[in-house]
């Protein structure tokens, strides 16, 4: 929590102002009971009307000042807390955008989302409470005690009895409650994850009739969250009645004790009333401190989770001295590259070496899980290699500026992601400065022009969230157009033709050939047809290269390749 306070720095002046306002307000509040006792003891008891009027007006003014200061302080607190939350969210967002996929995998998307929303809100609310109430509580408590004791020293032993009792009870509950708050946030992450999976996978869940199963999974997480929250709330529920009880019994005790003293005239009626009011003010501040004890551990659990994000640095950084080829050509070389995912037992890629050059098409084929996507994801440096190196135009990509490296690459990922916006916006995502003619040309190359023209608003047709309103094949083609409009030196197609029919696939690759004459093209595919005419075909199996060469070379030299060919050829012939 303390670490996060540095994000309060921009609000330093406001916070200082709040402190001053609250101090003055508390002073005003503390003077009211004394003024009132003056009215009673010096005015009413003595029948002095002038004193009643004078002190009464004085009280009104003081009360008005207290209210004005209170409202201003509240306004400033709200502004400070909201601004504080906004700054932290902004910081988290920029941090997460800079993360390599390694860190994103580590935290998990669901957790990153809860941390940015729920956890920040938790901390933000606490800052509001601190500035709004908790600053006031200690001043009020100490001031109240001083005033009460000077007013009626004979009764002050009651406070000495009550206050420690209250404090001990609160501390006890806080110590018990602290670990629970962390658990609640974890359960919230879990429920977020299940919900996300359910919503994004709703089609699969329905198709496989897993609604009941998913329902159970959700119920379980929901139950766990409920249990944890219940435990926390039970503690809190114990706390408040106890505090309220003490608060109501104390005046009773005071009145009871002071009865005889009133009778023999050793205390006056007005100052007894003032003493009761002071003790209420003190108790009230103790309640505020109680709330602080409840809120701060809770916010602390959230703050820890936020700090985890803010403090874990991306593992992929630009090196201090970056290099870049004078005349990039797009030549790629893998040298003995081995790579493992975070926490995986076996490397996903093992001792991979190959080269891919401009004007050539390099294809990667292999079963699912053989490491094809992993291989191409290393080229834009989404992950860093464990061993070996990847060179682009003879320079190790670790020494290149990431932005520059990526500017050379047009990537069509296996999962084509489109963004909410028009088709034109989505294509332009690849190149902001593309004009209409270039966008149209890219769409034509990607075989997307035909279906775009059939849309009501053509290029300005809106793609909904996640691209749900267009087909998988259409999505892939827009993603391809997005890469083409970039005119990159390196094209990477990760299984990008799988949702296309054979005819469109062939047509698209013919058009692409014209476009990519001087570029390095890497095509990942499952279909023999797609890779057959590549200049070099790499056959991957369990993360290792088990053969490479042209189609005809591989047919005679690589048994796995021959098997893939045979299985697919017979299939097509029978169709
Ligand atoms: P392909 O694209 O050939 O189907 P991938 O490259 O996607 O294969 O996956 C290769 C292996 O790496 C698989 O065993 C897969 O389970 C694992 N893998 C892929 N992505 C991740 C990830 N983000 N974290 C951990 N393991 C992964
Ligand atoms: Mg893949």
């Amino acid at each position: 929590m303390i670490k996060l306070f540095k994000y309060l720095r921009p609000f330093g002046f406001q916070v200082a102002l709040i402190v001053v306002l609250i101090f003055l307000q508390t002073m005003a509040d503390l003077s009211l009971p004394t003024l009132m006792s003056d009215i009673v003891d010096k005015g009413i008891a003595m029948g002095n009307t002038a004193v009643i009027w004078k002190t009464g007006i004085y009280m009104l003014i003081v009360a008005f000042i207290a209210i004005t200061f209170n409202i201003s302080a509240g306004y400033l607190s709200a502004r400070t807390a909201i601004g504080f939350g906004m700054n932290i969210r902004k910081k988290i967002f920029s941090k997460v955008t800079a993360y390599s996929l390694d860190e994103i995998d580590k935290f998990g998307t669901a957790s990153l989302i809860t941390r940015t929303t729920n956890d920040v809100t938790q901390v933000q609310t606490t800052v509001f409470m601190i500035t709004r109430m908790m600053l006031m509580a200690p001043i009020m408590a100490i001031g109240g005690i001083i005033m009460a004791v000077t007013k009626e020293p004979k009764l002050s032993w009651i406070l000495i009895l009550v206050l420690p009792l209250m404090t001990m009870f609160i501390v006890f509950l806080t110590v018990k409650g602290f670990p629970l708050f962390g658990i609640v946030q974890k359960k919230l992450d879990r429920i977020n994850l299940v919900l996300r999976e359910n919503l994004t996978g709703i089609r699969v869940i329905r198709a496989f009739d897993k609604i009941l199963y998913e329902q159970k999974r959700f119920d379980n997480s929901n139950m766990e969250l409920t249990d944890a929250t219940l435990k926390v709330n039970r503690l809190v529920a114990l706390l408040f009645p106890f505090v309220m009880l003490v608060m109501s019994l104390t005046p009773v005790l005071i009145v009871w004790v002071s009865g005889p003293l009133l009778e023999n005239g050793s205390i006056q009626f007005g100052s007894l009333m003032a003493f009761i009011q002071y003790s209420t003010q003190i108790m009230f501040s103790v309640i505020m401190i109680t709330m602080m004890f409840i809120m701060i551990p809770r916010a602390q659990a959230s703050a820890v989770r936020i700090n985890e994000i803010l403090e874990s640095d991306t593992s992929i950084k630009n090196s201090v001295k970056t290099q870049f080829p004078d005349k990039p050509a797009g030549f790629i070389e893998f040298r003995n590259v081995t790579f493992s995912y975070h926490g995986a037992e076996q490397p996903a890629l093992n001792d991979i070496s190959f080269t891919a050059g401009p004007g050539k098409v390099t294809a990667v084929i292999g079963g699912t899980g053989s490491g094809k996507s992993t291989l191409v994801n290393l080229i834009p440096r989404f992950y860093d290699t464990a061993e070996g190196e990847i060179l682009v135009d003879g320079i190790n990509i670790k020494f290149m500026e990431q932005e520059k490296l990526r500017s050379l690459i047009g990537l069509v990922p296996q999962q084509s992601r489109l963004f909410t916006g028009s088709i034109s916006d989505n294509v332009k995502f690849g190149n902001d400065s593309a004009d209409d003619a270039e966008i149209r040309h890219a769409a034509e190359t990607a075989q997307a022009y035909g279906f775009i023209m059939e849309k009501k608003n053509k290029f300005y047709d809106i793609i909904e969230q996640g691209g749900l309103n267009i087909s998988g094949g259409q999505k892939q083609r827009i993603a391809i157009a997005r890469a083409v409009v970039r005119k990159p030196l390196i094209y990477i197609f990760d299984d990008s033709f799988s949702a296309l029919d054979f005819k469109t696939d062939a047509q698209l690759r013919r058009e692409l050939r014209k476009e990519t004459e001087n570029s390095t093209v890497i095509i990942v595919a499952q279909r023999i047809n797609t890779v057959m005419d590549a200049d070099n075909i790499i056959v991957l199996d369990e993360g290792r290269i088990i053969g490479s060469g042209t189609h005809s070379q591989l047919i005679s030299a690589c048994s796995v390749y021959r098997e893939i060919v045979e299985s697919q050829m017979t299939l097509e012939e029978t169709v």
Side-chain angles (χ1 to χ4, degrees):
M1 188 82 190
I2 306 284
K3 280 185 198 149
L4 289 179
F5 282 166
K6 67 168 180 264
Y7 296 100
L8 271 178
R9 211 172 291 148
F11 306 100
F13 178 70
Q14 282 187 32
V15 174
L17 200 60
I18 292 171
V19 173
V20 173
L21 284 173
I22 285 182
F23 184 79
L24 293 176
Q25 182 221 326
T26 315
M27 289 300 133
D29 277 342
L30 284 173
S31 66
L32 286 176
T34 303
L35 289 173
M36 187 208 57
S37 79
D38 284 351
I39 292 186
V40 174
D41 293 340
K42 294 182 190 148
I44 298 174
M46 315 239 164
N48 188 339
T49 327
V51 171
I52 299 180
W53 273 106
K54 213 179 98 194
T55 322
I57 289 170
Y58 192 48
M59 261 181 96
L60 271 179
I61 294 171
V62 171
F64 182 76
I65 290 176
I67 288 175
T68 315
F69 282 3
N70 192 347
I71 292 174
S72 323
Y75 173 75
L76 286 175
S77 301
R79 274 187 57 149
T80 306
I82 291 168
F84 171 76
M86 189 186 88
N87 282 357
I88 292 186
R89 271 194 298 274
K90 198 161 120 191
K91 188 80 195 166
I92 294 181
F93 185 76
S94 69
K95 197 83 196 189
V96 171
T97 359
Y99 273 172
S100 80
L101 296 187
D102 216 21
E103 283 87 36
I104 304 233
D105 290 350
K106 201 176 83 197
F107 283 110
T109 321
S111 181
L112 285 174
I113 291 175
T114 6
R115 286 171 204 235
T116 322
T117 51
N118 187 284
D119 284 315
V120 173
T121 310
Q122 204 78 253
V123 173
Q124 176 182 312
T125 314
T126 310
V127 166
F128 177 69
M129 296 299 259
I130 290 178
T131 49
R132 184 84 192 86
M133 297 168 77
M134 292 163 198
L135 283 179
M136 184 199 287
I139 308 176
M140 186 93 130
I142 295 169
I145 289 173
I146 294 173
M147 295 297 276
V149 171
T150 45
K151 199 93 205 153
E152 279 311 329
K154 292 186 215 83
L155 294 177
S156 40
W157 61 270
I158 296 180
L159 293 177
I160 298 174
L161 181 84
V162 171
L163 293 180
L165 192 78
M166 221 166 168
T167 316
M168 256 156 52
F169 189 72
I170 293 165
V171 170
F172 168 74
L173 285 185
T174 316
V175 171
K176 269 192 87 94
F178 185 77
L180 288 173
F181 295 118
I183 296 175
V184 169
Q185 287 319 92
K186 268 218 195 80
K187 300 289 177 208
L188 206 59
D189 268 1
R190 173 76 200 159
I191 219 166
N192 224 320
L193 176 94
V194 175
L195 196 61
R196 247 177 79 90
E197 278 188 355
N198 260 280
L199 292 176
T200 47
I202 192 87
R203 289 176 181 75
V204 183
I205 292 166
R206 295 211 174 137
F208 286 90
D209 205 15
K210 288 289 182 208
I211 296 177
L212 275 178
Y213 170 78
E214 287 294 323
Q215 183 89 49
K216 254 204 207 105
R217 210 158 74 105
F218 184 81
D219 283 349
N220 282 345
S221 310
N222 202 1
M223 217 45 204
E224 285 172 14
L225 177 67
T226 312
D227 280 347
T229 318
L230 269 179
K231 269 191 201 143
V232 169
N233 283 353
R234 253 179 237 136
L235 280 181
V236 176
L238 258 179
L239 200 56
F240 274 99
F242 177 82
V243 172
M244 290 314 275
L245 187 73
V246 175
M247 235 181 116
S248 334
L249 285 184
T250 310
V252 177
L253 185 67
I254 295 172
V255 172
W256 191 35
V257 167
S258 53
L261 299 174
L262 262 180
E263 224 164 2
N264 68 21
S266 63
I267 60 173
Q268 282 182 301
F269 193 64
S271 60
L272 171 65
M273 279 173 74
F275 187 83
I276 293 180
Q277 280 199 11
Y278 281 129
S279 69
T280 313
Q281 278 180 339
I282 298 166
M283 303 269 166
F284 183 65
S285 2
V286 173
I287 292 193
M288 285 198 275
I289 296 172
T290 315
M291 293 195 47
M292 174 161 75
F293 273 110
I294 295 172
M295 288 205 73
I296 287 187
R298 178 153 208 185
Q300 180 61 25
S302 291
V304 167
R305 288 156 49 90
I306 294 171
N307 270 320
E308 271 171 9
I309 297 186
L310 295 180
E311 279 167 12
S312 71
D313 238 337
T314 169
S315 54
I316 297 187
K317 278 196 221 134
N318 287 333
S319 65
V320 185
K321 265 180 99 177
T322 54
Q323 300 173 0
F324 202 70
D326 301 329
K327 268 196 143 178
F331 195 84
I332 299 173
E333 181 176 1
F334 273 58
R335 274 192 202 152
N336 310 102
V337 170
T338 297
F339 170 79
S340 308
Y341 281 105
H342 193 87
E345 279 169 28
Q346 286 182 351
L349 290 177
N350 224 318
D351 198 21
I352 303 287
S353 302
F354 71 90
T355 57
K360 295 252 160 45
V361 175
T362 306
V364 183
I365 193 168
T368 39
S370 55
K372 306 182 297 293
S373 297
T374 309
L375 187 147
V376 295
N377 281 340
L378 290 181
I379 301 173
R381 215 179 152 206
F382 290 155
Y383 296 94
D384 262 346
T385 54
E387 286 164 48
E389 47 190 13
I390 301 169
L391 308 165
V392 168
D393 292 323
I395 296 173
N396 189 333
I397 57 170
K398 283 185 188 172
F399 299 126
M400 281 189 186
E401 212 174 298
Q402 292 170 56
E403 294 72 27
K404 279 190 176 168
L405 167 68
R406 288 174 190 156
S407 72
L408 301 178
I409 299 172
L411 169 73
V412 185
Q414 185 162 11
Q415 298 267 343
S416 343
R417 281 244 166 255
L418 298 183
F419 295 93
T420 318
S422 69
I423 293 178
S424 162
D425 290 339
N426 267 284
V427 175
K428 265 179 120 164
F429 205 83
N431 179 4
D432 291 335
S433 55
D435 58 32
D436 285 352
E438 284 171 313
I439 290 175
R440 181 182 162 160
H441 178 71
E444 279 170 349
T445 310
Q447 304 299 305
Y449 191 68
F451 79 80
I452 293 173
M453 283 300 125
E454 283 166 20
K455 300 261 176 209
K456 200 165 127 251
N457 301 314
K458 314 262 184 311
F459 273 97
Y460 297 99
D461 224 66
I462 294 296
I463 290 174
E464 281 162 21
Q465 191 188 4
L468 286 179
N469 57 341
I470 56 172
S471 81
Q474 292 175 340
K475 216 171 6 178
Q476 272 192 336
R477 279 176 277 171
I478 294 178
I480 292 169
R482 177 171 67 193
V484 169
V485 81
R486 217 169 153 80
K487 299 203 176 75
L489 284 174
I490 301 170
Y491 281 89
I492 300 174
F493 300 99
D494 187 356
D495 236 339
S496 315
F497 310 115
S498 55
L500 307 180
D501 55 80
F502 285 91
K503 200 173 132 238
T504 316
D505 177 8
Q507 181 86 26
L508 199 160
R509 273 178 299 114
R510 212 169 20 251
E511 291 292 322
L512 265 179
R513 275 256 168 201
K514 293 184 215 156
E515 206 61 32
T516 60
E517 265 172 357
N518 298 315
S519 305
T520 306
V521 179
I522 297 185
I523 295 181
V524 170
Q526 310 258 13
R527 275 192 217 150
I528 289 293
N529 284 48
T530 315
V531 302
M532 224 159 75
D533 48 3
D535 300 292
N536 186 25
I537 303 170
I538 294 169
V539 187
L540 268 187
D541 188 39
E542 297 188 355
R544 289 173 193 278
I545 297 184
I546 54 166
S548 67
T550 60
H551 180 67
S552 51
Q553 284 168 342
L554 283 169
I555 290 251
S556 52
C558 179
S559 59
V560 174
Y561 187 77
R562 207 160 45 229
E563 277 165 27
I564 301 174
V565 172
E566 276 162 9
S567 65
Q568 294 191 7
M569 287 301 175
T570 41
L571 231 165
E572 274 152 46
E573 277 156 17
T574 50
V575 170

